[in-house]
Amino acid sequence: MKRIFSVCVLMLIVTMAFAAKVDKVVNISVKDDNGKTETRSYRLYVPNGVKENAPLVVSLHGANGNQYANRPMTTDVADAEGFIVVYPQGKTINFYLAGMNTTGWNSTGEDNADVEFIKAVIEDVAKNYSIDRNRIYCCGFSNGGMMTYALSNTCSDIFAAFASISGLQMNEFHFHHTGVRPVPFLHIHGKADDFVKYSCMPVIVDEMVARIGANPVGVKTTAKGKYDKNVYEAAEGGFPYVYYEVDGMGHNDFTNSTPEGNSAKTMWKHFQQYTLDTPCDATLKWAPRIEEEGYEPKKHGWIMNAGTTLLSFGRDQHKSDNSDNNVYRSFQLDNGNYKLSFHSEGEAGKTMTVKIQKLSGKRNVVLNSTASVGGDAAFAFKIEDGWGEYKFTLTRENAADEITITKLMLTTATDEEVSALSAPQAKRGGLEQSYTLSGIPTAQPQHGINVVKAGDEVKKVFVR
């Protein structure tokens, strides 16, 4: 009797630890962009024998696709690796690139009904299955790949890592990359893709590499007749960006030309390296690392040593004829406190002007200050008028001045570093004079909130 009881208990434990296979469509109620309740659906796939605290993969179909596509993540990989996968169903959108209304994703990079729907899908799965919140991943094909980029901005605190195949941000889907942390990202693209154009990828790579703090010089490996692989390795505080350029591949949701012989397996191999608590510098917003050996900034959108312009990056939004598919170079910021820092070397006594200007909306200047050449400098400023794309410019007094800039980085700032925003003098117009501090660059503020620092200790705040 005791033996029978033990066997029953063991069977109960096994039943609790493993789930039977599930492959079904689930309906849930969510809000649309107008705040009205609507019913949306997703396909849920739970492998036979999946364990408690399982990883979850969200797989997004492309334009004109559906929840039955089984791409870009496949159920056979879920079976083999023991994770749950969901295939949300997109709504009808106006997909500019295809020139028609079709199913897809509103992948602007802003919080919207599609983003909230995907969050709701995750919560619905979590109500019924034991999932590991630190191991939730996102992948997508084409417009679903665009949505993957968008979610890397809006949901970087939910998904541990991301992967896109044949999808990049273009046209009306030009993505926002201002999320709460850098993210690990994998991208697979066919060299013969002329729909979501392969030719646009270099700009996408540059923008993401700078955003997630990776080394801008890729480590390249080639498998002849299959792919070129560039790994933009993680630098301090950041994550890597891995980019496969696949020979002969057009606009497809799958390829067997990756090292694993299966693009879904390649995505999973990328995912399983990361959890949501993998360490990173969550303050990091933009780190172009232009001084890296082998990097040629001018080939990547930088203006350098052009008259008095020492450095400049960022350009206006898409051309009127849309010939660039609305893929262009900028760095992007949302509301918050920020700090721009860099190191300079050059002739003592020279000064530089540091300027950051918004390229959208009111095109206001958020930072306009000067710093002495030689040593470290940092400037803090605040943005309150919403998301925007920005241009950075560093000018010198004379075109002949030889100045070297390294360690250029933009991070979030602390409230202490912009405490002058709430000080009484800020409302009176601020201080007119500037100060020279021993060992600290001089700042002569003209606009914004500028903090001059040495190390991590704030030495002086200037307001004007």
Side-chain angles (χ1 to χ4, degrees):
M1 185 71 179
K2 184 175 181 181
R3 179 180 176 82
I4 294 173
F5 177 75
S6 299
V7 171
C8 290
V9 170
L10 178 61
M11 289 177 65
L12 177 62
I13 292 172
V14 170
T15 302
M16 292 174 61
F18 297 89
K21 178 179 176 179
V22 175
D23 189 353
K24 65 179 181 178
V25 171
V26 180
N27 294 322
I28 58 174
S29 294
V30 293
K31 299 290 186 181
D32 65 15
D33 281 318
N34 296 315
K36 295 182 179 180
T37 300
E38 64 178 352
T39 299
R40 296 188 66 171
S41 66
Y42 68 94
R43 178 183 166 209
L44 169 68
Y45 186 83
V46 183
N48 189 40
V50 70
K51 295 181 180 179
E52 296 286 309
N53 211 32
L56 173 66
V57 175
V58 175
S59 180
L60 302 173
H61 64 74
N64 204 36
N66 58 58
Q67 59 199 347
Y68 303 104
N70 200 36
R71 292 286 194 274
M73 184 53 67
T74 57
T75 55
D76 61 328
V77 176
D79 286 333
E81 300 294 342
F83 60 82
I84 299 171
V85 58
V86 291
Y87 302 90
Q89 175 64 57
K91 290 176 63 176
T92 298
I93 62 168
N94 178 254
F95 190 51
Y96 177 91
L97 187 61
M100 62 180 181
N101 291 331
T102 187
T103 53
W105 306 100
N106 187 17
S107 55
T108 61
E110 300 171 298
D111 195 7
N112 56 34
D114 276 345
V115 173
E116 294 306 309
F117 165 54
I118 290 168
K119 290 180 182 178
V121 168
I122 294 170
E123 294 306 316
D124 195 61
V125 175
K127 284 192 305 184
N128 300 293
Y129 298 92
S130 173
I131 63 171
D132 186 345
R133 294 282 187 166
N134 278 327
R135 293 190 294 163
I136 303 176
Y137 308 102
C138 181
C139 60
F141 160 64
S142 190
N143 177 228
M146 297 175 184
M147 191 64 182
T148 300
Y149 274 102
L151 291 169
S152 76
N153 178 58
T154 59
C155 299
S156 61
D157 57 343
I158 294 174
F159 295 103
F162 299 82
S164 169
I165 183 167
S166 305
L168 54 84
Q169 295 305 101
M170 57 190 351
N171 299 302
E172 73 273 36
F173 301 125
H174 189 68
F175 69 99
H176 298 37
H177 46 199
T178 61
V180 298
R181 71 175 186 114
V183 296
F185 210 103
L186 167 74
H187 189 109
I188 301 170
H189 217 98
K191 294 181 180 179
D193 191 344
D194 198 37
F195 182 63
V196 177
K197 294 183 178 179
Y198 166 68
S199 60
C200 293
M201 276 305 299
V203 175
I204 300 297
V205 172
D206 284 349
E207 298 304 278
M208 283 299 289
V209 164
R211 168 64 188 98
I212 65 178
N215 188 320
V217 181
V219 178
K220 185 175 181 177
T221 57
T222 297
K224 190 174 181 180
K226 289 188 174 183
Y227 63 82
D228 294 314
K229 177 185 178 183
N230 272 287
V231 178
Y232 299 86
E233 296 176 330
E236 183 178 358
F239 282 115
Y241 185 90
V242 181
Y243 177 38
Y244 283 92
E245 302 164 85
V246 182
D247 295 322
M249 177 181 167
H251 190 65
N252 297 321
D253 58 11
F254 179 85
T255 178
N256 58 12
S257 291
T258 56
E260 292 73 28
N262 180 314
S263 52
K265 289 183 178 179
T266 302
M267 291 178 181
W268 175 249
K269 184 177 179 180
H270 166 72
F271 289 157
Q272 63 184 156
Q273 298 175 78
Y274 305 102
T275 65
L276 196 58
D277 54 9
T278 299
C280 69
D281 178 3
T283 71
L284 182 64
K285 294 297 178 182
W286 185 61
R289 307 187 193 278
I290 57 176
E291 69 273 16
E292 290 292 336
E293 185 178 353
Y295 187 65
E296 300 178 68
K298 290 183 179 180
K299 291 184 178 180
H300 297 267
W302 287 83
I303 297 172
M304 301 183 67
N305 296 315
T308 57
T309 299
L310 183 61
L311 279 177
S312 182
F313 183 84
R315 50 149 284 197
D316 285 336
Q317 296 182 3
H318 69 78
K319 300 174 184 177
S320 58
D321 64 359
N322 206 33
S323 60
D324 61 357
N325 284 106
N326 199 17
V327 175
Y328 52 89
R329 303 177 190 277
S330 73
F331 69 93
Q332 308 178 16
L333 300 172
D334 213 330
N335 287 343
N337 301 335
Y338 296 96
K339 179 176 64 178
L340 178 78
S341 58
F342 58 85
H343 180 85
S344 66
E345 296 289 345
E347 184 179 347
K350 296 288 185 178
T351 61
M352 302 166 289
T353 299
V354 186
K355 183 177 180 180
I356 296 178
Q357 180 177 9
K358 195 172 186 178
L359 297 176
S360 51
K362 295 180 180 179
R363 301 177 67 89
N364 51 305
V365 175
V366 298
L367 176 65
N368 191 359
S369 281
T370 59
S372 296
V373 174
D376 296 320
F379 308 86
F381 59 95
K382 187 178 184 72
I383 293 175
E384 298 180 294
D385 60 346
W387 173 87
E389 297 176 292
Y390 289 84
K391 180 178 182 178
F392 162 78
T393 307
L394 189 58
T395 56
R396 52 195 172 187
E397 295 176 88
N398 303 296
D401 292 345
E402 293 188 5
I403 303 170
T404 301
I405 302 297
T406 58
K407 300 179 182 178
L408 178 63
M409 185 174 296
L410 199 145
T411 61
T412 55
T414 64
D415 288 337
E416 289 76 16
E417 289 170 316
V418 289
S419 60
L421 285 172
S422 59
Q425 61 263 37
K427 298 179 182 179
R428 296 197 303 266
L431 306 175
E432 295 293 331
Q433 69 268 42
S434 63
Y435 298 80
T436 301
L437 306 175
S438 177
I440 312 297
T442 299
Q444 295 175 318
Q446 300 168 26
H447 188 93
I449 305 301
N450 309 314
V451 181
V452 181
K453 292 185 62 187
D456 290 330
E457 181 182 1
V458 178
K459 293 296 186 182
K460 197 72 175 180
V461 178
F462 300 95
V463 187
R464 185 183 173 98

PDB file of all heavy atoms in Angstrom, residues 5 218 269 364 370 412:
ATOM      1  N   PHE A   5       1.079   4.224  -2.854  1.00  0.00           N
ATOM      2  CA  PHE A   5       0.935   5.635  -2.516  1.00  0.00           C
ATOM      3  C   PHE A   5       2.120   6.438  -3.046  1.00  0.00           C
ATOM      4  O   PHE A   5       1.970   7.519  -3.617  1.00  0.00           O
ATOM      5  CB  PHE A   5       0.818   5.797  -1.005  1.00  0.00           C
ATOM      6  CG  PHE A   5       0.733   7.242  -0.565  1.00  0.00           C
ATOM      7  CD1 PHE A   5      -0.432   7.974  -0.724  1.00  0.00           C
ATOM      8  CD2 PHE A   5       1.853   7.865   0.004  1.00  0.00           C
ATOM      9  CE1 PHE A   5      -0.502   9.297  -0.326  1.00  0.00           C
ATOM     10  CE2 PHE A   5       1.785   9.179   0.396  1.00  0.00           C
ATOM     11  CZ  PHE A   5       0.609   9.910   0.244  1.00  0.00           C
ATOM     12  N   GLY A 218      33.036  45.284 -36.934  1.00  0.00           N
ATOM     13  CA  GLY A 218      32.582  43.905 -36.821  1.00  0.00           C
ATOM     14  C   GLY A 218      33.702  42.897 -37.005  1.00  0.00           C
ATOM     15  O   GLY A 218      34.656  43.126 -37.745  1.00  0.00           O
ATOM     16  N   LYS A 269      19.672  29.800 -30.461  1.00  0.00           N
ATOM     17  CA  LYS A 269      21.026  29.774 -29.917  1.00  0.00           C
ATOM     18  C   LYS A 269      21.432  31.168 -29.428  1.00  0.00           C
ATOM     19  O   LYS A 269      22.088  31.305 -28.387  1.00  0.00           O
ATOM     20  CB  LYS A 269      22.014  29.285 -30.976  1.00  0.00           C
ATOM     21  CG  LYS A 269      23.441  29.141 -30.467  1.00  0.00           C
ATOM     22  CD  LYS A 269      24.364  28.585 -31.551  1.00  0.00           C
ATOM     23  CE  LYS A 269      25.807  28.462 -31.048  1.00  0.00           C
ATOM     24  NZ  LYS A 269      26.703  27.931 -32.096  1.00  0.00           N
ATOM     25  N   ASN A 364      14.241  72.561 -31.519  1.00  0.00           N
ATOM     26  CA  ASN A 364      14.900  73.364 -30.495  1.00  0.00           C
ATOM     27  C   ASN A 364      16.279  72.821 -30.159  1.00  0.00           C
ATOM     28  O   ASN A 364      16.564  71.638 -30.305  1.00  0.00           O
ATOM     29  CB  ASN A 364      14.049  73.408 -29.230  1.00  0.00           C
ATOM     30  CG  ASN A 364      13.628  72.030 -28.760  1.00  0.00           C
ATOM     31  OD1 ASN A 364      13.047  71.271 -29.519  1.00  0.00           O
ATOM     32  ND2 ASN A 364      13.933  71.721 -27.510  1.00  0.00           N
ATOM     33  N   THR A 370      30.311  75.523 -24.293  1.00  0.00           N
ATOM     34  CA  THR A 370      31.711  75.423 -24.693  1.00  0.00           C
ATOM     35  C   THR A 370      32.502  74.670 -23.643  1.00  0.00           C
ATOM     36  O   THR A 370      32.135  74.629 -22.468  1.00  0.00           O
ATOM     37  CB  THR A 370      32.347  76.817 -24.886  1.00  0.00           C
ATOM     38  OG1 THR A 370      32.261  77.543 -23.657  1.00  0.00           O
ATOM     39  CG2 THR A 370      31.649  77.580 -25.996  1.00  0.00           C
ATOM     40  N   THR A 412      21.862  58.473 -19.596  1.00  0.00           N
ATOM     41  CA  THR A 412      20.911  59.192 -18.758  1.00  0.00           C
ATOM     42  C   THR A 412      21.667  59.850 -17.612  1.00  0.00           C
ATOM     43  O   THR A 412      22.740  59.404 -17.214  1.00  0.00           O
ATOM     44  CB  THR A 412      19.832  58.251 -18.198  1.00  0.00           C
ATOM     45  OG1 THR A 412      20.466  57.164 -17.508  1.00  0.00           O
ATOM     46  CG2 THR A 412      18.968  57.707 -19.310  1.00  0.00           C
TER      47      THR A 412
END
